[in-house]
Amino acid sequence: MAVSVWASSSTIPSSKYNNLFAAAASSSSSFSNSSSLKFPLQRLPVTWVCSPSPSPSRPRLLPLVKAKKQTFSSFDDLLTNSDKPVLVDFYATWCGPCQFMAPILNEVSTQLKDTIQVVKIDTEKYPSIANKYKIEALPTFIIFKDGEPYDRFEGALSADQLIQRIENSLKVKQ
Amino acid sequence: MMTTTTLQVQAQASSSFAIRIPPSSFTSPLTRSPHRFVVRASVDPSEKSIEIMRKFSEQYARKSGTYFCVDKGVTSVVIKGLADHKDSLGAPLCPCRHYDDKPAEVGQGFWNCPCVPMRERKECHCMLFLTPDNDFAGKEQTISLDEIRATTANI
């Protein structure tokens, strides 16, 4: 099973992602095979939503790209490898509010680049992940901290409301 | 020979792949299409179902005194979602939910559009039918097929 996540703006912050980026180069052909592969044996292309490198002194290895695909062997792997809290958007192709949120998520990802990573999961492609987290209404947003669900809310909201919600949620833990 | 192939992929437990090759691909080489080997992996519901759900949405909005979203793209996506479920499941199951077992849900009926929350409390979390006090409610209760096509062209 592949974990597919959509990127808004991104860079590759460290060299460990180089081999993943190479895998992503051929992602367009392998993506169509993803439903037939079992995980965790196969490494499958994933579009990882990253944000520009926070530290200007750290050399950027690759140019800033709009959509970033990286490979993770599982959703858990993705969560563990993240050094920041992860906002996961569970969506479906034909869910109106989910499509409405797409540009808003791009904006929020850019604005909160140091605070949070934004990831989108297509619940039709990865129903087991959606079932695991008991997703019902779409869109559902879950903020993961240290690999565990930390906050959860449903429905479309504006960029300001979303930023507010994320900041309030993460503030409590600090 | 120019071929336009559309792959229909359903990421369900019972996966089915359908390849449609339009008859034009077998005509004379003189009638060349400008598009070569277009392979689209997106699933589009049937025109017939889209039209049925479009008409239903207009009728039900009028009947319930609700309005479409200011962003008609949202309306269009939901109408297509309803049409897609009508094609695959036989009933317009709410497209803005995740289900463990879709056919069972269709049989149960709670989430068949118009769903129980909508019928009882005019609550439509798909943002298809919006009460006038809703921030996202527009002033229209109509949507044309052209609008649907235009606003969902990139999906």
Side-chain angles (χ1 to χ4, degrees), chain A residues 85-123:
Chain A
V86 184
L87 173 72
V88 181
D89 168 28
F90 292 90
Y91 76 102
T93 307
W94 294 123
C95 159
C98 304
Q99 296 297 335
F100 176 80
M101 288 304 293
I104 292 174
L105 283 170
N106 279 344
E107 191 187 326
V108 169
S109 177
T110 313
Q111 253 191 284
L112 296 184
K113 56 190 195 307
D114 297 335
T115 315
I116 200 158
Q117 291 277 12
V118 179
V119 159
K120 283 166 69 169
I121 303 278
D122 184 336
T123 57

Side-chain angles (χ1 to χ4, degrees), chain B residues 9-72:
Chain B
V9 179
Q10 284 197 331
Q12 303 279 359
S14 55
S15 294
S16 61
F17 291 82
I19 298 179
R20 261 189 293 120
I21 301 175
S24 59
S25 62
F26 297 104
T27 53
S28 149
L30 295 172
T31 59
R32 279 176 181 228
S33 154
H35 305 290
R36 297 165 186 250
F37 289 103
V38 174
V39 178
R40 264 182 275 113
S42 66
V43 187
D44 232 36
S46 67
E47 296 263 343
K48 181 175 168 195
S49 290
I50 294 174
E51 182 56 20
I52 291 172
M53 296 322 301
R54 185 191 70 81
K55 284 228 171 73
F56 155 76
S57 301
E58 290 187 334
Q59 264 169 354
Y60 197 79
R62 271 198 309 272
K63 179 174 143 186
S64 61
T66 54
Y67 295 84
F68 292 148
C69 186
V70 278
D71 179 351
K72 286 289 192 62

